[in-house]
Amino acid sequence: MLKNKHLIAGEWLSGETTFTSSPAHGGAHKFANGTVDLVNKAAKAAEDAFWSFGSSSIAVRAAFLDKIAEEIDARGSDITKIGSEETGLPTARLEGERGRTVGQLRLFARHIEKINYLDARHDIALPDRLPLPRPDIKSIQRPIGPVAVFGASNFPLAFSAAGGDTAAALAAGCPVVVKGHSAHPGTADIVAQAIDVAIKACDIHPGVFSLIQAKSRDVGTALVQHPLINAVGFTGSLGGGRALFNLCSARPTPIPFFGELGSVNPMFFLPNAMASRAVDMGKAWAGSLAMGAGQFCTNPGIAVVLDGPDAEVMIDAMTAALKEMGPQTMLTDGIANAYRCGVKTIQDANDVTELVGTNNNDRSASPYLYDCSADTWLANHELREEVFGPLGLIVRASNLDQMLSIAKSLVGQLTCTLHMDEKDNEVAASFIPILERKAGRILANGFPTGVELSDAMVHGGPYPASTNFGATSVGTMSIRRFLRPVSYQNIPESILSI
């Protein structure tokens, strides 16, 4: 079922070199390795496609998105099989992620059909206005041009070839060039086959979508620096994302880099909630922390508590729950190695106590839990950095003022959470203005793992959670990343596609 090639403007192309996948189980496969020349071909094809696709009707684009979703579902069993082999993810997780992927394609189809995303405005002419007349002015959101999308290591479907960035860009009218992630090239291969069929069925210009498989960094570098690429969507590590962001900024014509990079997603457990349900919250945190081996950008890695008996109750419940959990397979050898390095950094820190710990070998990960004082946490920057995996850190504050100080010291986060009861409302209200400046999503009495696909969702935040604090990579607002307003003054309506 695999093509093992690149999809460039409707053609499946091989190359001079290949790379071999590194599956969690099952057989490895060889895939054509991308080149700078292929990037150039894909970008040029995307630019050619833009002249028709960028001005295509909403009905055409909505039907195209629906057809992609249909074709992905038609290959569901093949996608699950190769996805499980490549990533080690269980069938239920992959089927759920496929549902999310086709769901967001259809969500964007329905969203653009409502037309509101165009934000059309009209100031009628006032020829008799004094002291100066006003011209007729219309404005509308227009697509920006070809977009580059980087597949994410931790979501082989929902944030990859046909994931949220691709869906939003296509809905806006922007052709897409995807750099597939080398952790799951087979999954991307089959998804690209589905898109290829949809392109032909809908009679869309074939340059509207290209997939370049690559293990080398030069392909990603060439893609973000290509003069025909107008924006980049990225989900990944802080180091990799920042390097690409710098390349986008250093271009002769800089372009926006919409990178979702990392977050520790701190939670603040307020006094009355702790007094009434510490055990339940400890168990629930354990489940959220270890879900999917902690390989979510919204993994709640930090718990800030008031030191005292209630904290001990919650910690005991959390510790007991984590100790019952066995090892899980991580998505790649690289992620597993990075997790071990992150664990060692915490272990080597001064004045940090290990509450739960075990050995992690090869590609598996088991939970870790650590404990430190607020003073220790505030003084040690390394304790505030994301460890991608099921590692939790409890930060003990001596009073509410110190909890507020911790909140103020945070760098940008995807999420911040308040665990509270009604009697905590007054205290919680003092956190809100602080957390609004720190995070894109603020939760009460929940856990941030799991991001709803909706109109109101924000998945982003101040740096380093993302590189653009005004954007979201999840939800219908994410289409705004790939649109820009254009104003038309005294242009006859008959020649406008508004």
Side-chain angles (χ1 to χ4, degrees), residues 20-25 28-29 85-86 182-183 185 215 331-333 363:
T20 303
S21 63
S22 180
H25 57 83
H29 301 275
E85 290 175 358
E86 291 183 323
S182 58
K215 199 171 180 71
L331 292 160
T332 70
D333 294 322
R363 201 158 154 174

Side-chain angles (χ1 to χ4, degrees), residues 413-450:
Q413 304 291 330
L414 293 171
T415 74
C416 288
T417 301
L418 294 170
H419 289 276
M420 52 181 286
D421 283 353
E422 186 175 353
K423 292 180 181 178
D424 292 310
N425 282 356
E426 183 177 351
V427 172
S430 66
F431 277 87
I432 293 296
I434 302 170
L435 302 186
E436 286 174 343
R437 293 190 65 189
K438 303 297 182 178
R441 178 163 58 116
I442 304 169
L443 297 82
N445 297 326
F447 294 88
T449 40

Side-chain angles (χ1 to χ4, degrees), residues 113-328:
E113 286 175 338
K114 296 175 185 177
I115 305 178
N116 295 341
Y117 83 99
L118 293 171
D119 192 20
R121 305 180 184 210
H122 185 194
D123 298 320
I124 63 172
L126 298 175
D128 299 323
R129 189 184 68 174
L130 296 175
L132 293 172
R134 184 176 77 184
D136 181 270
I137 304 172
K138 302 180 182 72
S139 71
I140 195 171
Q141 298 288 331
R142 301 300 301 149
I144 61 174
V147 169
V149 170
F150 284 72
S153 64
N154 59 332
F155 282 92
L157 294 166
F159 283 86
S160 290
D165 290 343
T166 296
L170 293 177
C174 298
V176 174
V177 179
V178 172
K179 178 191 176 295
H181 200 286
S182 58
H184 42 76
T187 307
D189 185 309
I190 296 177
V191 170
Q193 291 180 45
I195 298 174
D196 187 30
V197 171
I199 289 170
K200 292 176 171 63
C202 296
D203 195 25
I204 303 291
H205 189 296
V208 75
F209 176 87
S210 291
L211 169 69
I212 303 174
Q213 304 274 30
K215 199 171 180 71
S216 56
R217 293 185 177 181
D218 59 334
V219 170
T221 298
L223 188 54
V224 302
Q225 290 185 314
H226 198 284
L228 295 178
I229 295 297
N230 291 269
V232 177
F234 174 90
T235 299
S237 69
L238 174 59
R242 183 54 195 255
L244 293 173
F245 171 83
N246 291 343
L247 289 173
C248 288
S249 300
R251 286 174 35 144
T253 301
I255 59 172
F257 179 84
F258 298 106
E260 189 266 281
L261 305 183
S263 181
V264 296
N265 304 297
M267 303 179 297
F268 296 85
F269 291 81
L270 301 187
N272 288 286
M274 288 288 282
S276 62
R277 47 195 171 92
V279 171
D280 290 341
M281 291 190 297
K283 292 178 179 178
W285 180 29
S288 180
L289 183 74
M291 181 189 300
Q295 297 169 111
F296 296 97
C297 49
T298 53
N299 196 39
I302 302 289
V304 183
V305 302
L306 282 178
D307 199 9
D310 293 332
E312 297 300 334
V313 171
M314 190 188 82
I315 292 168
D316 287 345
M318 171 73 168
T319 299
L322 289 180
K323 285 182 176 179
E324 293 178 358
M325 297 178 181
Q328 300 179 69

